[in-house]
Amino acid sequence: ATPDAKTLELADGRVFEFVSRPQRVRGEVVGHVWSFRDISVQKQAEKSLAESAARYRLLFERNLAGVYRSTPDGRLLEVNDAFARIYGFESVEDALSHEAGQLYESADERARFLEKLRSQGRLVGIETRGRRKDGSTLFLLETVSLVPGEAGAPEILEGTVLDINDRPVPNVLVQLFDDGELLASATTDGSGIYDLRAVYNLNDDTTSLLWFV
């Protein structure tokens, strides 16, 4: 757009940009030259983009799932209220003052998570184990994508998390075996997960999981 240009919107919705230049004859202003340019398509695109951004922001802020954007090195770029609440932060600002690595049980666990994400590009509906601000453990259902950076910028993790700590499971005895050797055993009473979660989340390092009702 020309710096001193003005806009004119017609009743039919078309938008024009116009500028006025003085017309001089032998140094005297004898009139003005008006130039008009139809910018209707550009304005409609800008309006659509603004509306899309507003819808995204509303969805982001009101989503019951925790939504986040972060860098692989652990910087939290953006989170919503639900994310802050799930991890026990007092506010979004409180959450953003922490590193993403602090939300995992250990640095090794985050490293394994990033390695798996890089190899697949996207992880959908995986159960992960996290750590709240107070240090307590929580269990999450997570979906995350690794978005390539632009023009040399770092990759971005964009994901959602759901708190599944209170998801009920049936009365079961769970025994975990590796090559026939009993590694762990746990039970639940049907009202919660309890020790079953600790056993279940070891499945990446085991060869089989046996359930007995």
Side-chain angles (χ1 to χ4, degrees):
T2 307
D4 56 350
K6 298 180 180 179
T7 57
L8 173 67
E9 185 171 355
L10 304 183
D12 62 4
R14 289 181 297 163
V15 181
F16 288 85
E17 179 184 80
F18 67 93
V19 292
S20 173
R21 295 283 187 267
Q23 184 178 23
R24 291 182 170 85
V25 176
R26 290 189 291 274
E28 294 186 8
V29 177
V30 297
H32 286 78
V33 177
W34 297 84
S35 299
F36 290 83
R37 183 168 69 97
D38 189 342
I39 58 171
S40 303
V41 174
Q42 175 186 335
K43 287 296 183 182
Q44 182 58 47
E46 292 174 355
K47 181 181 178 182
S48 298
L49 184 61
E51 291 175 347
S52 178
R55 288 194 298 270
Y56 169 81
R57 173 54 53 185
L58 191 63
L59 178 63
F60 183 89
E61 293 176 348
R62 294 186 178 180
N63 202 322
L64 295 179
V67 184
Y68 69 89
R69 298 178 68 248
S70 69
T71 61
D73 64 5
R75 287 186 297 120
L76 287 171
L77 304 175
E78 196 171 12
V79 303
N80 65 352
D81 288 334
F83 182 95
R85 183 175 61 253
I86 288 171
Y87 282 96
F89 293 109
E90 296 176 5
S91 64
V92 166
E93 292 73 23
D94 184 22
L96 293 177
S97 69
H98 291 72
E99 294 289 325
Q102 297 175 261
L103 307 181
Y104 291 78
E105 287 285 283
S106 67
D108 288 343
E109 194 161 327
R110 176 167 171 79
R112 288 194 298 270
F113 172 80
L114 290 175
E115 182 181 0
K116 188 173 183 179
L117 178 59
R118 282 198 172 97
S119 68
Q120 300 185 25
R122 186 168 189 240
L123 304 175
V124 180
I126 63 168
E127 291 195 27
T128 58
R129 181 172 54 188
R131 183 170 58 185
R132 295 188 182 90
K133 181 182 178 180
D134 63 8
S136 60
T137 299
L138 74 160
F139 297 93
L140 305 161
L141 194 65
E142 184 165 3
T143 294
V144 58
S145 298
L146 188 62
V147 182
E150 297 181 0
E155 302 162 311
I156 301 296
L157 281 71
E158 295 184 346
T160 60
V161 291
L162 286 171
D163 183 348
I164 58 172
N165 276 290
D166 297 328
R167 186 177 66 179
V169 296
N171 287 294
V172 292
L173 166 65
V174 178
Q175 293 184 317
L176 195 61
F177 290 86
D178 183 8
D179 293 332
E181 180 181 356
L182 179 64
L183 296 181
S185 179
T187 60
T188 69
D189 64 0
S191 62
I193 303 305
Y194 302 104
D195 291 336
L196 173 59
R197 287 287 174 209
V199 172
Y200 179 82
N201 280 272
L202 290 172
N203 61 5
D204 288 339
D205 303 317
T206 60
T207 58
S208 61
L209 180 63
L210 302 183
W211 297 69
F212 299 94
V213 179

